[in-house]
């Protein structure tokens, strides 16, 4: 492939993501990366001080693309609360390109975070940023206090769960608009009503709706 002059830090980050999703965090090694890219170790150290610097660049890239950039793209007076939630869910569930690890990227990063405090701190910050944004939007849609936080937490728990199921065969399409409608309804007076709302959101739509296939 290229030399140390033609490769960029981005090339190393992409290669590291591929190793992470295919073989786990222990596979992110300088010798493995050099073999993947067809260069010497000198090329790696031309761009990064050490392996820790590359790993930090990886998780910061993930946080920026999968969290900060998504939230920034939501800032639009043209989006209603309902449309904003639908778009947010679709963007978070959007599969990274294959060159950045593909559909298992976030799952692999969360697995990595379980055994690495530095990675865990970045993932925790991303979770906090996403949940704070969802809670703020819930309040903007008319829900208040603990109810806004509770609904936002349920939405986020659903997103994290769907990410964990990425790539599972045979999963049905998620009715994102129906799910959002259930989350934005005024608080039901009893548990049975909550269950009915969630069941309704999972029912097949009678008319064509924007759907996202969990891959």
């Amino acid at each position: 492939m290229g030399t140390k002059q033609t490769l960029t830090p981005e090339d190393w980050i992409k290669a590291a993501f591929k190793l992470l999703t295919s073989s786990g965090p222990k596979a992110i090694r300088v010798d493995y990366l050099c073999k993947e890219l067809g260069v010497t170790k000198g090329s790696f150290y031309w761009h990064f001080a050490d392996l820790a610097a590359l790993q930090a660049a990886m998780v910061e890239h993930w946080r920026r693309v999968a969290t900060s950039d998504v939230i920034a793209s939501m800032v639009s007076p043209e989006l209603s609360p309902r449309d904003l939630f639908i778009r947010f869910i679709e963007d978070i569930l959007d599969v990274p390109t294959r060159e950045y690890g593909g559909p298992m990227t976030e799952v692999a990063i969360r697995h990595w975070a379980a055994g690495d405090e530095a990675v865990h701190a970045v993932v925790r910050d991303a979770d906090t940023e996403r949940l704070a944004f969802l809670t703020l939007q819930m309040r903007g849609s008319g829900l208040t206090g603990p109810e806004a936080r509770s609904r936002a937490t349920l939405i986020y728990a659903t997103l994290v769960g769907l990410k964990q199921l990425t790539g599972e065969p045979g999963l049905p399409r998620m009715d994102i608009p129906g799910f959002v409608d259930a989350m934005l309804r005024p608080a039901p007076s009893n548990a049975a009503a909550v269950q009915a709302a969630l069941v309704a959101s999972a029912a097949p739509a009678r008319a064509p709706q924007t759907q996202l296939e969990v891959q």
Side-chain angles (χ1 to χ4, degrees):
M1 189 160 168
T3 65
K4 65 183 181 182
Q5 287 82 15
T6 57
L7 286 175
T8 68
E10 202 77 5
D11 293 320
W12 291 96
I13 291 172
K14 291 175 182 178
F17 270 118
K18 290 178 182 177
L19 287 176
L20 173 66
T21 56
S22 65
S23 304
K26 291 184 178 180
I28 307 173
R29 292 173 35 174
V30 176
D31 53 342
Y32 290 175
L33 287 164
C34 290
K35 182 178 180 180
E36 177 73 20
L37 293 171
V39 295
T40 65
K41 290 185 179 180
S43 178
F44 174 82
Y45 292 109
W46 178 270
H47 297 289
F48 296 96
D50 51 28
L51 187 60
L54 169 64
Q55 292 172 333
M58 287 175 64
V59 292
E60 284 300 334
H61 171 89
W62 166 77
R63 179 184 175 180
R64 175 177 58 80
V65 172
T67 301
S68 301
D69 287 356
V70 172
I71 289 175
S73 72
M74 299 293 115
V75 181
S76 171
E78 299 177 0
L79 287 176
S80 67
R82 180 179 186 271
D83 291 339
L84 184 147
F85 277 109
I86 291 172
R87 179 168 160 182
F88 181 83
I89 292 172
E90 290 177 341
D91 285 358
I92 291 293
L93 292 179
D94 190 28
V95 175
T97 59
R98 187 174 182 82
E99 63 184 358
Y100 282 103
M104 297 304 291
T105 300
E106 180 154 337
V107 176
I109 286 177
R110 289 184 181 277
H111 173 71
W112 184 12
D116 188 305
E117 182 53 40
V119 178
H120 180 265
V122 176
V123 172
R124 182 179 61 239
D125 288 345
D127 286 340
T128 299
E129 187 177 1
R130 291 172 176 180
L131 186 54
F133 175 77
L134 288 170
T135 302
L136 180 64
Q137 301 310 314
M138 273 294 172
R139 289 172 179 160
S141 71
L143 295 172
T144 59
E147 185 64 25
R149 175 77 176 188
S150 177
R151 298 286 185 95
T153 300
L154 181 54
I155 289 175
Y156 192 56
T158 300
L159 285 172
V160 172
L162 287 171
K163 280 288 190 180
Q164 295 291 322
L165 293 172
T166 296
E168 289 293 326
L171 286 176
R173 295 171 181 265
M174 179 182 178
D175 177 10
I176 294 177
F179 175 69
V180 169
D181 288 340
M183 292 298 95
L184 292 177
R185 290 187 188 117
S189 58
N190 55 61
V194 173
Q195 182 65 25
L198 292 176
V199 170
S201 73
R206 295 183 178 180
Q209 299 187 53
T210 300
Q211 295 180 326
L212 181 69
E213 185 171 5
V214 180
Q215 301 178 3

